[in-house]
Amino acid sequence: MVINFAAGPAKLPEEVLKEVQANLLNCNGSGISVMEMSHRSSNYAKIHDAALADLRELLKLPKNYKVLLMQGGGTGQFAAVALNLIGRTGTADYVITGSWSAKAAKEAAQYGKVNTVVPKVDRYIDVPRQETWKLDPNASYVYYCDNETVDGVEFDFVPQLPTDVPLVCDMSSNFLSRPIDVNKFGVIFAGAQKNIGPSGVTVVIVREDLIGKHLKITPSVLNFELMDKNDSLYNTPPTFGIYVMGQVFQWIKRNGGVAGMCERAKAKSKLIYDIIDKSNGFYICPVASRARSHMNLPFRIGSATGNEALEKEFLTKAESQGMIQLKGHRSVGGIRASLYNAITLAETQQLAKLMQAFYENNKN
């Protein structure tokens, strides 16, 4: 058995994969695969509408929020957010707490002025408290990434802003892993490939009063207004990805909803962090306790900068036991365990068992 701890594309629930497999050649009695279904057909419309309805139910979405199913991943939304929102004042605030928010700010700077509200740091290991932020009162919106996949930094609070300043959030790597009050946000987006489905689909949740504010240069495929008017069918959508994502939404509903996912996430991450914290410095997580991610857990072995030989040995042992994709991102190194919704507590316990045994064998 293989346990996939990848940061994305990531593990999908086995139950969902079996459902997809069973329906691959004859989806919902249509006689054809969803991969060959016309996106204009009534068969696909049922799949599309059901996925949207289930997501609205899971998030308790207010009626004044629209759900768009777009393409281009999070990177596409780095541009789309700016193109659709920055035109109000020509400037935007960016809270940079990791690699992805830094890339988003760089992309947005092509379309307007970007104000970075926290000082630049060499390593991303914490979320600066909001009282230290230098917000621009003229900003069209404030942008942040709720969970930095590379750096393992996750917000432990939702920023509080004046009612006339939209809050924009990249939730790609912790979407549907903990309850949120959508009313606090202007835009939320999430690439599916980390926590809710295969790559190719990006969920965008946007408050309706923010639609139609795009710059004239906005490409059609990134235009919130066009996508909304066409029910995300302006161009051919990633139909197979949307189908699988819809199955994941139903799986989440069967397993306690978002609250259930949150409890699982807390239990799994605590298991690993407890081993790290009780290892007398053998395992080191560089992230401040208050900002430790429940989804992406980075750590070094042997020292703060890592013992390359020990880390290589650990990864080899993990692979020999069927645990794959544990190597840290190339920009930070070390080990990274991604404990997305589909990773079970039992699978996390296997990683914990390996970590404990490896510590016992190498602590001296």
Side-chain angles (χ1 to χ4, degrees):
M1 177 182 176
V2 170
I3 305 173
N4 182 11
F5 289 102
K11 175 181 169 67
L12 288 165
E14 185 176 342
E15 186 179 320
V16 168
L17 290 176
K18 288 180 177 179
E19 290 172 349
V20 172
Q21 182 185 45
N23 284 282
L24 191 60
L25 298 180
N26 181 10
C27 185
N28 298 337
S30 65
I32 60 173
S33 171
V34 67
M35 289 187 285
E36 53 186 340
M37 248 179 220
S38 167
H39 60 293
R40 306 292 182 189
S41 68
S42 59
N43 283 323
Y44 176 72
K46 294 175 184 176
I47 293 169
H48 190 94
D49 294 345
L52 293 174
D54 285 336
L55 180 59
R56 297 195 75 94
E57 180 182 341
L58 284 167
L59 288 175
K60 300 180 176 61
L61 274 184
K63 291 183 179 180
N64 63 323
Y65 283 79
K66 301 298 184 74
V67 179
L68 312 177
L69 302 180
M70 300 177 70
Q71 298 175 60
T75 303
Q77 288 307 308
F78 297 166
V81 164
L83 287 163
N84 283 276
L85 300 183
I86 207 167
R88 183 170 68 89
T89 67
T91 187
D93 283 338
Y94 276 70
V95 187
I96 300 177
T97 55
S99 302
W100 291 114
S101 50
K103 289 181 178 179
K106 184 178 179 180
E107 180 71 29
Q110 298 184 82
Y111 311 110
K113 180 184 176 183
V114 166
N115 172 47
T116 53
V117 305
V118 295
K120 186 177 181 180
V121 295
D122 293 330
R123 298 175 68 202
Y124 300 110
I125 59 172
D126 200 1
V127 176
R129 302 297 93 176
Q130 187 174 341
E131 57 266 24
T132 68
W133 298 2
K134 295 182 179 179
L135 296 168
D136 181 353
N138 192 48
S140 295
Y141 60 90
V142 175
Y143 179 108
Y144 77 106
C145 178
D146 203 34
N147 184 77
E148 291 281 2
T149 319
V150 171
D151 309 279
V153 173
E154 186 172 27
F155 270 70
D156 59 322
F157 64 92
V158 176
Q160 302 297 310
L161 302 177
T163 55
D164 61 337
V165 181
L167 183 61
V168 177
C169 187
D170 174 0
M171 291 189 184
S172 292
S173 53
N174 66 352
F175 192 57
L176 298 188
S177 72
R178 59 182 184 180
I180 56 170
D181 181 357
V182 176
N183 288 293
K184 294 181 178 180
F185 300 88
V187 176
I188 295 169
F189 71 85
Q193 72 276 6
K194 298 182 184 295
N195 215 24
I196 56 170
S199 58
V201 190
T202 305
V203 172
V204 181
I205 299 167
V206 55
R207 203 174 66 220
E208 61 184 6
D209 64 293
L210 299 175
I211 295 175
K213 313 292 187 182
H214 52 275
L215 299 176
K216 290 183 178 180
I217 62 169
T218 304
S220 298
V221 74
L222 298 179
N223 187 314
F224 290 169
E225 184 177 37
L226 272 178
M227 286 297 167
D228 176 46
K229 285 182 177 179
N230 289 274
D231 193 27
S232 301
L233 299 170
Y234 179 77
N235 61 315
T236 305
T239 53
F240 178 72
I242 292 169
Y243 164 67
V244 178
M245 191 171 65
Q247 297 298 106
V248 173
F249 294 159
Q250 292 178 32
W251 174 83
I252 292 174
K253 288 171 63 176
R254 293 194 298 270
N255 286 275
V258 177
M261 296 298 106
C262 183
E263 291 306 309
R264 287 162 62 117
K266 289 178 180 178
K268 291 182 296 183
S269 58
K270 184 178 187 301
L271 194 60
I272 302 303
Y273 284 131
D274 280 353
I275 290 177
I276 292 171
D277 292 340
K278 295 175 183 178
S279 70
N280 298 312
F282 181 78
Y283 295 116
I284 297 174
C285 175
V287 181
S289 296
R290 66 186 182 184
R292 284 180 171 181
S293 172
H294 293 85
M295 296 285 102
N296 309 105
L297 288 61
F299 59 92
R300 303 305 301 252
I301 299 177
S303 72
T305 55
N307 181 313
E308 190 173 328
L310 278 177
E311 290 177 349
K312 185 176 181 181
E313 182 182 349
F314 179 88
L315 291 169
T316 299
K317 284 188 178 295
E319 289 199 16
S320 72
Q321 296 179 27
M323 289 177 273
I324 65 170
Q325 302 285 0
L326 281 163
K327 188 174 182 179
H329 190 272
R330 60 187 179 276
S331 65
V332 296
I335 315 295
R336 174 179 56 178
S338 293
L339 306 180
Y340 295 130
N341 288 348
I343 294 287
T344 67
L345 180 59
E347 290 170 333
T348 309
Q349 288 169 336
Q350 286 188 240
L351 175 60
K353 183 179 179 181
L354 168 64
M355 290 177 68
Q356 187 63 39
F358 195 79
Y359 162 66
E360 296 291 344
N361 291 334
N362 294 278
K363 61 183 177 181
N364 297 322

